[in-house]
Amino acid sequence: MTSGDAHAREGDAGLLAPVSAGSPAEAATGDGAVLRAMLDAEAALARAQVGVGGVPGRAAEVVTKAVGSGRFDARELALRAGAGGNPVIPLVADLRAVVAELSPGDEEFVHRGATSQDILDTALMLVAARTLDLIGADLAATAASLATLADRHGATVMAARTLTQHAVPTTFGLKAAGWRSLVLDAHDRVVRVRATLPVQLGGAAGTLGAFEAYGMEGEGLVAAFASELRLCAPELPWHVLRTPVADLAGVLAFCAGALGKVAADVLVLSRTEVGEVAEGTGGVSSSMPHKRNPVRSVLLASAARQVPALVSTLYASMAAEDERPPGAWHAEWSPLREALRLCGGAARGAAVLCGELSVFPARMRGNLALGEAVGGVGAAERMVARALGRGVLGAAGC
């Protein structure tokens, strides 16, 4: 068997993606998940059209049964997608064939009035929604662990570092509260954008004309379609109005950066010569068995560096021509999915990292004592007492 044959049989196993390999986000964004989302969109469209008189109830039931038949192969669809430029075209052909077997004649009600972009955009919003739900839960868990650290170490004195050098004293509790603030900001943005993700439905040129030609009222159909999938109903078809993707891109970039900040600090504080924190389950080395590498932080840092580059493609794709874009739309698919996957893997890693983080107050105090320029431990304690008196560390309870 050649390496190409092996890839075709096994798919992407995540060998070079340790940030997300094995995470719930990996499964939620894989080819199987995208295929399920496209099928969900097709079934939801048929059911929504029943309510506006475009499809008989019997036919919608058959379409729904067909999408659950398990007779659709993602790899086969991928290989056939090149002929039309997207995987929806071969999927619709296969879905019609299955419906025809189950109920001859009802295949005409599959994909009625829709265009490929309607289904794929909607499917990717479904994938995003399902992945953001996972990310939100992990961010909430991370914030809870950081609140515990902030409360526990409100008076744990350490050196603040600016431009890599000792500055004035601070506390680890304040640092953890700062991390928590960023994570909560990311969580708020994830929840907010999740609540706005829309379906896509406009037909060939965004006019809803094909649906109306079948006697369906367009606005009512869009609302029913959105209700079926528990997504939002957009004011207009957004084939070339890519606000939903741009908003999602911004949230993913912020999320990756927020978790990357936590990782960056842990990487510095866990250096051998600093030794102020350590990951609860440090990683191993292939050549130096004595090492305890901060691998979760390493992987979070890698995600923080990758996501902005992916997001730049999503922003660039906003400059889309005409009523259906040649290339800009197609360029979004892979970076959007990878950004979701990286953020999902990073959020899961951060939840574990912050839940297991070991803190060494004695080492923090010893390192602080090395910096004569900051006034010594006594001055540090007086500054911390004043800070506590002003409630600076109350952020953990807000």
Side-chain angles (χ1 to χ4, degrees):
M1 182 171 60
T2 68
S3 59
D5 293 334
H7 177 80
R9 291 170 68 105
E10 298 176 9
D12 183 357
L15 191 62
L16 299 180
V19 177
S20 56
S23 70
E26 180 187 45
T29 56
D31 281 349
V34 175
L35 175 56
R36 284 192 300 275
M38 291 192 294
L39 290 167
D40 288 345
E42 290 287 359
L45 178 60
R47 293 193 299 268
Q49 289 176 330
V50 173
V52 294
V55 169
R58 176 205 70 254
E61 292 176 3
V62 174
V63 173
T64 299
K65 181 178 179 180
V67 302
S69 66
R71 296 176 58 183
F72 306 94
D73 183 86
R75 178 63 178 174
E76 179 64 24
L77 293 171
L79 294 174
R80 292 158 57 200
N86 73 75
V88 178
I89 295 172
L91 176 66
V92 170
D94 289 355
L95 181 56
R96 284 177 173 150
V98 175
V99 170
E101 290 181 19
L102 296 173
S103 181
D106 283 342
E107 64 271 17
E108 68 174 287
F109 299 111
V110 173
H111 197 71
R112 173 164 273 204
T115 192
S116 297
Q117 190 170 352
D118 291 335
I119 298 303
L120 190 49
D121 274 347
T122 298
L124 290 176
M125 291 298 103
L126 272 177
V127 168
R130 292 162 180 173
T131 308
L132 290 180
D133 288 341
L134 298 170
I135 293 173
D138 283 329
L139 290 175
T142 302
S145 294
L146 290 173
T148 299
L149 286 172
D151 288 340
R152 183 179 299 156
H153 294 284
T156 300
V157 185
M158 65 180 296
R161 296 170 174 88
T162 62
L163 304 182
T164 76
Q165 305 298 299
H166 280 211
V168 296
T170 185
T171 70
F172 185 72
L174 182 58
K175 183 179 284 288
W179 293 345
R180 178 177 180 268
S181 180
L182 269 180
V183 170
L184 287 176
D185 287 343
H187 180 269
D188 289 347
R189 284 160 173 77
V190 165
V191 170
R192 190 157 55 243
V193 82
R194 165 65 179 87
T196 66
L197 295 178
V199 295
Q200 173 77 278
L201 199 62
T207 65
L208 296 169
F211 302 111
E212 293 170 359
Y214 285 116
M216 295 178 270
E217 190 273 313
E219 186 174 339
L221 174 59
V222 174
F225 186 42
S227 178
E228 285 283 345
L229 294 170
R230 298 184 181 181
L231 295 174
C232 291
E235 292 184 2
L236 293 170
W238 45 281
H239 293 146
V240 287
L241 310 175
R242 307 307 284 176
T243 301
V245 176
D247 285 346
L248 181 55
V251 167
L252 294 174
F254 186 95
C255 181
L259 298 178
K261 162 58 179 170
V262 177
D265 281 348
V266 172
L267 288 170
V268 169
L269 298 178
S270 62
R271 289 177 181 271
T272 304
E273 59 271 25
V274 178
E276 296 179 357
V277 303
E279 293 191 4
T281 51
V284 299
S285 167
S286 64
S287 60
M288 293 172 282
H290 64 282
K291 292 186 69 182
R292 184 181 176 189
N293 294 325
V295 291
R296 293 194 189 280
S297 299
V298 167
L299 296 179
L300 294 185
S302 78
R305 285 161 173 77
Q306 293 176 76
V307 173
L310 297 166
V311 163
S312 69
T313 300
L314 301 179
Y315 282 135
S317 294
M318 290 186 70
E321 305 91 333
D322 304 321
E323 280 64 54
R324 295 281 303 285
W329 172 54
H330 306 72
E332 291 176 352
W333 310 339
S334 181
L336 176 58
R337 177 168 71 168
E338 187 61 21
L340 282 166
R341 183 174 291 179
L342 283 167
C343 284
R348 175 52 57 95
V352 177
L353 168 67
C354 294
E356 298 180 347
L357 191 68
S358 297
V359 181
F360 306 115
R363 189 65 177 264
M364 291 177 175
R365 184 178 292 271
N367 286 340
L368 179 60
L370 295 175
E372 292 296 331
V374 300
V377 174
E381 291 174 339
R382 288 193 294 275
M383 293 184 69
V384 170
R386 288 197 296 272
L388 287 169
R390 292 194 302 269
V392 172
L393 299 180
C398 66

